[in-house]
Amino acid sequence: MADDPGLFGPRSVTWQLHADPMMWIAGVRALYLQALHPRAVRGVRQNSAAFRLDAQGRRDAWGRLMRTADFVGTLSYGTTDAAERAGAAVRGRHRRLTATDPATGERYRIDEPELLRWVHCAEVDSYLQVLRRSGHPLTDRQADRYLDEQRTSARLVGLDPDTVPGDRAALAAYFERIRPDLAGTDEAHQVDAFLRRPPVWGPLVPARALLWRPVADLAYAALPDYAHRLYGRPAPPPATVTRRLRTAGRLLRVVPPALRWRLPPRHVLRAVARLGPGARPGTFKLSDSAAILDEHDTQGDPRG
């Protein structure tokens, strides 16, 4: 439907948050964090086109990143049908994939709930941590609402929403439980090397050093201390990292949204064209979110 607001809609926290330009840095932080789960990163390494060579000896590194951005954008701003179809496609692909533990020979499915839950939690935690530390005006209550909303995204990748943390306290408890399972494995260090120097066409190597490396370095620095210890690479003190995130946020947010949203995959522009100018995301819309959330609580979830 032309006026379908999708799974979240313009009045959701997700709608405002996912349009922020710091989402790119947050997404790279999520990749770093996800790689610290040995079974999860093994599944990525053994199945992702970003790490396997094709028939011409090429790796589809940037294609992998863009497909991930496209999936998140479709769930956030696409129609309900488009989001459900995207989720079904991801579940179908994951159902067919397995990974093998080289130490034990165990073969396991990569859509195990434990692994899907880890990927989801590392992702939403990264979005919240980076955006809030970079100056996005998100209150604690709005952060909790965001995590509750993202249970819908968890459902689309194959998780029972009731098993997914729905507020900051539950998310913190989850990370406390999972930390003993995390490790800086060889596969994690390979992901680290990939993120610091993703393969590019020869003439673009200087641009990678100038444009990409600062993004990867800031995303790595924004990880929690235990992640730095597992990777074995130091990072600046947290206060320094927060200052750098705020500087990056100020610089990126002065770029006019209409210009930023023209970059692929352009989901925000399509959503605004579908729903009208009132659907434009903006941090200013969070200022009256208390009233919106109160209305949500009294009338029920507008997503139906």
Side-chain angles (χ1 to χ4, degrees):
M1 295 176 58
D3 59 350
D4 178 8
L7 296 177
F8 301 104
R11 303 185 77 180
S12 67
V13 178
T14 295
W15 193 275
Q16 316 310 327
L17 204 67
H18 284 188
D20 192 275
M22 291 296 287
M23 283 285 289
W24 288 100
I25 293 174
V28 178
R29 181 196 188 266
L31 295 175
Y32 270 118
L33 190 55
Q34 289 163 352
L36 291 175
H37 193 297
R39 289 169 72 87
V41 71
R42 193 176 298 126
V44 172
R45 288 283 301 161
Q46 294 181 13
N47 289 284
S48 175
F51 297 99
R52 296 194 314 272
L53 295 176
D54 64 14
Q56 286 75 43
R58 300 171 301 194
R59 289 183 172 90
D60 185 24
W62 298 106
R64 162 80 180 187
L65 294 175
M66 290 307 300
R67 283 191 294 273
T68 300
D70 181 63
F71 180 70
V72 174
T74 299
L75 267 57
S76 304
Y77 301 106
T79 63
T80 302
D81 181 65
E84 293 287 354
R85 283 189 283 107
V90 165
R91 294 194 303 274
R93 285 196 299 272
H94 287 174
R95 230 178 350 252
R96 299 189 293 270
L97 298 178
T98 61
T100 302
D101 186 331
T104 66
E106 176 198 5
R107 195 163 190 83
Y108 58 91
R109 292 172 49 150
I110 70 167
D111 64 350
E112 291 180 352
E114 173 197 348
L115 304 186
L116 295 177
R117 190 159 36 249
W118 165 251
V119 169
H120 171 85
C121 289
E123 186 174 284
V124 295
D125 178 72
S126 293
Y127 295 162
L128 281 180
Q129 293 291 335
V130 168
L131 268 67
R132 298 191 82 184
R133 290 177 71 183
S134 69
H136 196 289
L138 200 69
T139 67
D140 288 346
R141 188 182 183 198
Q142 291 160 358
D144 286 342
R145 177 62 64 184
Y146 172 73
L147 292 174
D148 183 56
E149 290 173 359
Q150 285 303 300
R151 287 176 164 178
T152 297
S153 297
R155 172 183 65 80
L156 287 184
V157 298
L159 283 164
D160 177 353
D162 290 337
T163 69
V164 176
D167 57 37
R168 288 170 300 115
L171 186 62
Y174 168 80
F175 279 112
E176 191 66 28
R177 289 195 304 271
I178 201 72
R179 276 181 59 177
D181 297 334
L182 307 182
T185 61
D186 289 342
E187 290 96 338
H189 288 289
Q190 290 164 5
V191 171
D192 180 21
F194 164 79
L195 290 174
R196 295 166 76 185
R197 295 183 182 84
V200 296
W201 185 45
L204 295 180
V205 169
R208 178 184 64 185
L210 179 65
L211 300 175
W212 175 260
R213 186 61 183 269
V215 170
D217 286 347
L218 186 54
Y220 177 84
L223 289 167
D225 288 341
Y226 68 80
H228 298 144
R229 291 194 296 271
L230 291 175
Y231 273 113
R233 282 207 292 126
T240 300
V241 176
T242 297
R243 285 196 298 271
R244 292 178 182 176
L245 287 167
R246 285 185 173 271
T247 298
R250 284 195 297 270
L251 291 173
L252 290 175
R253 290 172 187 134
V254 298
V255 179
L259 180 60
R260 287 192 273 107
W261 297 337
R262 289 186 182 279
L263 297 174
R266 301 186 179 183
H267 289 291
V268 175
L269 282 183
R270 288 198 288 270
V272 172
R274 186 174 79 247
L275 300 173
R280 287 169 57 92
T283 56
F284 68 92
K285 293 188 175 181
L286 291 169
S287 62
D288 64 351
S289 60
I292 292 175
L293 295 180
D294 286 340
E295 180 182 337
H296 177 286
D297 292 339
T298 57
Q299 295 185 5
D301 191 335
R303 289 170 283 159

